[in-house]
């Protein structure tokens, strides 16, 4: 099986792409098309830090909203 490559906007280089859409909806498709596997793994580590630092409960809608906006800011350098 051949490896899928994308131009990763986070790392600003060509890199191995994700093997599946990691998030639902249009944002998930955007991540799948523009974010490398390496950058996604980096985000997962950052997400864990945020959950621990802010003592977030990912089941709460406000926490999910915060994590989603943080994810967009982290991956796409958007505020």
């Amino acid at each position: 099986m051949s490896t899928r490559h994308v131009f990763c906007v986070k790392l600003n280089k060509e890199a191995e792409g994700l093997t599946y859409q990691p998030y639902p909806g249009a944002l998930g498709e955007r991540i799948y098309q523009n974010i490398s596997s390496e950058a996604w793994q980096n985000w997962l580590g950052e997400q864990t830090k945020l959950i621990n630092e802010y003592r977030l409960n990912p089941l709460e809608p406000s926490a999910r909203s915060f994590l989603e906006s943080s994810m967009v800011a982290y991956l796409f350098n958007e505020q």
Side-chain angles (χ1 to χ4, degrees), residues 26-61:
L27 179 55
E29 181 62 26
R30 184 177 175 203
I31 292 167
Y32 181 73
Q33 295 297 332
N34 298 290
I35 299 297
S36 68
S37 181
E38 177 185 356
W40 181 252
Q41 290 304 313
N42 293 345
W43 160 248
L44 293 178
E46 185 67 23
Q47 176 180 250
T48 300
K49 289 177 191 175
L50 290 172
I51 290 169
N52 290 335
E53 183 176 332
Y54 292 105
R55 300 174 193 240
L56 299 175
N57 178 353
L59 298 176
E60 292 178 7

Side-chain angles (χ1 to χ4, degrees), residues 4-79:
R4 182 177 159 275
H5 284 82
V6 297
F7 181 81
C8 179
V9 297
K10 174 66 179 171
L11 303 178
N12 200 31
K13 68 178 184 179
E14 188 81 19
E16 185 176 328
L18 295 162
T19 57
Y20 60 92
Q21 184 175 317
Y23 199 80
L27 179 55
E29 181 62 26
R30 184 177 175 203
I31 292 167
Y32 181 73
Q33 295 297 332
N34 298 290
I35 299 297
S36 68
S37 181
E38 177 185 356
W40 181 252
Q41 290 304 313
N42 293 345
W43 160 248
L44 293 178
E46 185 67 23
Q47 176 180 250
T48 300
K49 289 177 191 175
L50 290 172
I51 290 169
N52 290 335
E53 183 176 332
Y54 292 105
R55 300 174 193 240
L56 299 175
N57 178 353
L59 298 176
E60 292 178 7
S62 61
R64 287 196 310 269
S65 178
F66 172 76
L67 289 171
E68 182 175 298
S69 62
S70 298
M71 176 177 63
V72 170
Y74 180 84
L75 292 174
F76 299 104
N77 298 317
E78 296 175 6
Q79 298 306 323

